[in-house]
Amino acid sequence: MEVISLVLTVFGLAISGAAYLKADDAKKAVRNALRKRNADEDLQRLRDLIVVMEAAKEAVVPWVSGMPQDRRTGRDQQDDLAQLSETIDALRTKSPLDLEAALQRRIKKSATILDKEFKEIITPSDNNDHWKAALSEIQLMIPKLEQLERSMRDDQISA
C-alpha cells in the first residue's frame, strides 16, 4: 500500500510541476503579448504626433515674415492658430508613454516653447517673429520624432 501511495504522490508532484511550468509559460506569453501591444500603441501614438507636427508646420509656414503673400492666399490665420494649439496639446498629452525620461522632457519642453510662441503670436509684446520661432521648434522636433519612430519600428522588427 505504501508503494502505491508513494507512486501516486510522485505522479501528483510530476503533474503539479508540469502544470506550474505551463502556467509560467502562459504568464510569459501574456507578458510578451502585452509588451507587443503597448509597443504597437506607442508607435501609433508617435506616428499620430508626427502627423500633427507636420500639419502644424504647414499651418505656420505661410505666416513667417518674409514669406511671399501668395502663400497665405486662402489661409485663415485663426485656423492655423488652432492647428498650432492642437499641436501643443498633442505634445503634452499624446506622446508615447514608454519613452526615456530625456525624450519625454524634450517633448514637454517643445510644448512649452510652442505655447510661449503661441501666446506671443496672440498678444505680441515685442517685434520678434514668433511664427518663425514656432516653425524653428517644429522643424527641430520633427526629425527627432521621426528618428524615434524608426528606432521603435526597428526594435519591433528585431524582437
Side-chain angles (χ1 to χ4, degrees):
M1 193 62 138
E2 288 182 26
V3 173
I4 293 174
S5 178
L6 179 63
V7 169
L8 290 175
T9 302
V10 170
F11 183 69
L13 286 173
I15 290 175
S16 295
Y20 175 78
L21 290 175
K22 286 291 185 187
D24 193 45
D25 288 345
K27 275 199 304 190
K28 287 178 185 175
V30 167
R31 222 175 303 133
N32 288 339
L34 288 174
R35 193 175 304 121
K36 171 81 170 102
R37 187 187 62 137
N38 288 342
D40 288 346
E41 185 177 319
D42 276 349
L43 186 58
Q44 187 58 50
R45 288 173 71 103
L46 184 58
R47 287 178 179 154
D48 292 344
L49 186 58
I50 290 170
V51 168
V52 170
M53 292 292 289
E54 289 287 350
K57 179 180 170 186
E58 293 301 316
V60 169
V61 166
W63 303 105
V64 172
S65 65
M67 281 292 171
Q69 187 67 27
D70 65 333
R71 295 284 309 263
R72 296 181 189 163
T73 303
R75 305 286 309 203
D76 180 4
Q77 192 174 48
Q78 293 306 311
D79 290 344
D80 291 338
L81 282 169
Q83 180 62 52
L84 183 57
S85 178
E86 180 184 327
T87 302
I88 294 165
D89 181 59
L91 284 168
R92 287 187 173 141
T93 62
K94 297 180 180 174
S95 64
L97 302 176
D98 189 23
L99 290 178
E100 295 174 12
L103 285 170
Q104 282 287 16
R105 282 191 307 272
R106 183 60 186 102
I107 289 171
K108 299 299 181 199
K109 180 181 176 185
S110 183
T112 302
I113 291 169
L114 289 175
D115 190 42
K116 177 184 160 282
E117 299 304 334
F118 177 78
K119 288 175 182 170
E120 284 291 328
I121 291 168
I122 299 293
T123 54
S125 63
D126 55 30
N127 290 331
N128 293 336
D129 186 357
H130 295 284
W131 285 105
K132 187 173 188 174
L135 178 62
S136 295
E137 181 62 26
I138 292 167
Q139 288 177 324
L140 181 70
M141 282 305 294
I142 289 174
K144 289 180 183 196
L145 295 174
E146 289 173 338
Q147 182 180 15
L148 178 61
E149 178 192 18
R150 279 192 299 279
S151 174
M152 289 173 72
R153 195 175 54 237
D154 291 348
D155 287 347
Q156 281 188 340
I157 291 170
S158 64

